[in-house]
Amino acid sequence: DTGVSQNPRHKITKRGQNVTFRCDPISEHNRLYWYRQTLGQGPEFLTYFQNEAQLEKSRLLSDRFSAERPKGSFSTLEIQRTEQGDSAMYLCASSGTSGGPTDTQYFGPGTRLTVL
Amino acid sequence: GESVGLHLPTLSVQEGDNSIINCAYSNSASDYFIWYKQESGKGPQFIIDIRSNMDKRQGQRVTVLLNKTVKHLSLQIAATQPGDSAVYFCAETRGQGNLIFGKGTKLSVKP
């Protein structure tokens, strides 16, 4: 399978715990995006990377959230001190045959986070 | 605030009929539009895109129409099939790369 992969697919945690999600983009895609989707809503942009550089962060990305893409390949999204309001589907997408903003973004299956 | 939105939250069609899903956007600076299909428990799946210098684009059984005058986008699905049942999102980008999604339209296909 050469699509975007995300792990884990499901995560249940208790409030206050830290969680980390991983995204493996399509090989050689230089842009990687994180989105959050709550039930009944469209995905909301969180942040994106061009290679290893984090170029933009949404105001939704509070100080408890941090994302990395250290080698310009896979990325991790960490949420510290989780809150019930963090419960959502976290989606990763990658793009970048030309490296431009209008390259098609292909999404992974998402990680569903439930904070108890 | 500015957002990409949809006129109808749900759409029910008979198998074999054509479906039309509409979307309104508010920012005339948007230059790229995409339609995604999302099935339950899965990530959004790319269907078709269109750039702002185009009015129409066709794919396999799908057509996207862009009316910049009234800031309207539509997705037409020909000969709708049960496998087309899903939530459809339009999304726009304004040059930064991050997509701005609407709330989605749920398409139900009756056999």
Side-chain angles (χ1 to χ4, degrees), chain B residues 10-108:
Chain B
T10 60
L11 177 65
S12 183
V13 300
Q14 203 71 37
E15 181 178 358
D17 287 351
N18 297 334
S19 303
I20 300 176
I21 301 172
N22 295 304
C23 179
Y25 65 96
S26 57
N27 193 318
S28 57
S30 296
D31 54 11
Y32 178 56
F33 304 88
I34 313 97
W35 281 100
Y36 283 93
K37 171 187 179 183
Q38 187 172 28
E39 296 173 284
S40 181
K42 298 184 179 180
Q45 175 188 353
F46 172 82
I47 301 174
I48 192 168
D49 59 2
I50 189 168
R51 284 167 169 71
S52 58
N53 61 354
M54 302 171 67
D55 297 322
K56 180 180 180 179
R57 192 165 187 216
Q58 287 185 295
Q60 187 177 10
R61 282 202 307 118
V62 294
T63 301
V64 55
L65 299 176
L66 176 62
N67 185 330
K68 294 181 287 292
T69 302
V70 295
K71 300 194 190 87
H72 184 266
L73 190 70
S74 68
L75 176 70
Q76 299 178 2
I77 304 173
T80 313
Q81 303 168 1
D84 296 326
S85 294
V87 177
Y88 289 80
F89 292 97
C90 64
E92 63 178 304
T93 185
R94 303 170 188 171
Q96 300 300 320
N98 53 296
L99 295 171
I100 301 165
F101 284 83
K103 287 188 177 181
T105 293
K106 182 177 181 180
L107 175 65
S108 296

Side-chain angles (χ1 to χ4, degrees), chain A residues 8 12 25 46-47 49 57 61-62 82 88 91 98 101 103 107 115:
Chain A
I12 300 174
L46 293 178
T47 188
F49 294 83
K57 292 192 287 187
L61 211 67
S62 75
T82 52
L91 293 162
S98 68
D103 289 339
F107 283 81
V115 182

